[in-house]
Amino acid sequence: MQARKRVLIVYYSLSGNTERVAKDLAAHLDADLQRLHERTDRRGFRGHLRAAYDSLSERPAILIHSARQAADYELTIVGTPIWTGKITPAARTYLESIRGRARNIAFFTTSGNTGIDKVVPTMQRLVDLESIASIGFSESELRDAACYENKLTAFLAAVRPVAARTQGGVARAYA
Ligand SMILES: Cc1cc2nc3c(=O)[nH]c(=O)nc-3n(C[C@H](O)[C@H](O)[C@H](O)COP(=O)(O)O)c2cc1C
């Protein structure tokens, strides 16, 4: 039997903050990385206005990508910016799409200052799975190198034991 892959990181990012965290996590965990793209254009003033309306009204997004299968991975980590105190439409649609498929799930967010605790219940409900870890980064924390490293390290420590599992139950060491 082929061993299950270990970690998939799926994220949506409009202006790059969430992408930065996703890439850093992927480098530390040697994970596969997938950026979500949606049909709606969110750029510019009108795009931001639509983003605010769509997130607030919990509208799903139409995703344009060939999704990697969460079921193929021991751990799926989903990252999203927070818009109007909610997750993005793209993250909402993705989480719903993997309901019942992900084995283990963890979340991260970036935001101006809204904490991840505000959106974790929604994220768990959408995917119908309790997260093994979650971490939110405010914009000021993203600018503070020491704070960023500390929070990243804490999150990595929480997910590594699960990420190291393989189908055969053999743990894999990380550098
Ligand atoms: C439409 C819109 C709504 C936002 N709403 C919030 C919010 O409710 N709370 C907050 O702390 N930040 C909010 N932000 C700021 C973003 O969450 C923050 O800049 C985030 O890091 C952007 O991630 P990205 O660079 O990956 O797109 C909002 C940004 C946009 C564009």
Side-chain angles (χ1 to χ4, degrees):
M1 196 191 311
Q2 200 187 349
R4 185 177 293 114
K5 290 184 247 181
R6 292 176 306 113
V7 187
L8 172 63
I9 299 176
V10 180
Y11 69 97
Y12 175 82
S13 183
L14 186 60
S15 53
N17 290 343
T18 314
E19 179 164 67
R20 171 189 162 196
V21 180
K23 285 185 170 171
D24 286 347
L25 287 173
H28 281 286
L29 293 168
D30 189 23
D32 287 343
L33 195 58
Q34 172 144 43
R35 181 176 186 161
L36 297 174
H37 295 279
E38 58 172 335
R39 194 177 287 175
T40 307
D41 187 357
R42 309 280 186 199
R43 290 170 301 175
F45 178 72
R46 289 170 74 90
H48 279 56
L49 213 57
R50 201 179 298 122
Y53 176 78
D54 289 348
S55 53
L56 196 60
S57 54
E58 302 186 350
R59 286 181 69 165
I62 299 172
L63 298 178
I64 37 173
H65 65 90
S66 52
R68 289 178 191 270
Q69 295 300 317
D72 294 343
Y73 292 82
E74 189 63 39
L75 171 64
T76 305
I77 302 176
V78 179
T80 178
I82 294 179
W83 288 352
T84 64
K86 310 231 178 196
I87 60 170
T88 54
R92 179 176 298 279
T93 298
Y94 179 73
L95 286 168
E96 269 185 327
S97 79
I98 63 167
R99 176 193 285 253
R101 299 208 176 101
R103 287 179 60 79
N104 294 286
I105 195 103
F107 304 127
F108 68 95
T109 57
T110 71
S111 67
N113 56 16
T114 304
I116 189 168
D117 289 353
K118 182 145 192 228
V119 296
V120 163
T122 301
M123 296 176 90
Q124 292 185 148
R125 180 177 50 76
L126 288 165
V127 75
D128 196 21
L129 197 60
E130 200 171 319
S131 67
I132 62 160
S134 58
I135 196 148
F137 298 89
S138 69
E139 286 169 6
S140 60
E141 288 171 337
L142 291 170
R143 285 191 296 270
D144 180 336
C147 175
Y148 178 66
E149 282 304 319
N150 282 342
K151 291 192 85 168
L152 207 66
T153 302
F155 183 76
L156 288 166
V159 300
R160 270 192 173 120
V162 172
R165 283 186 215 146
T166 66
Q167 207 163 29
V170 181
R172 176 181 154 143
Y174 285 94

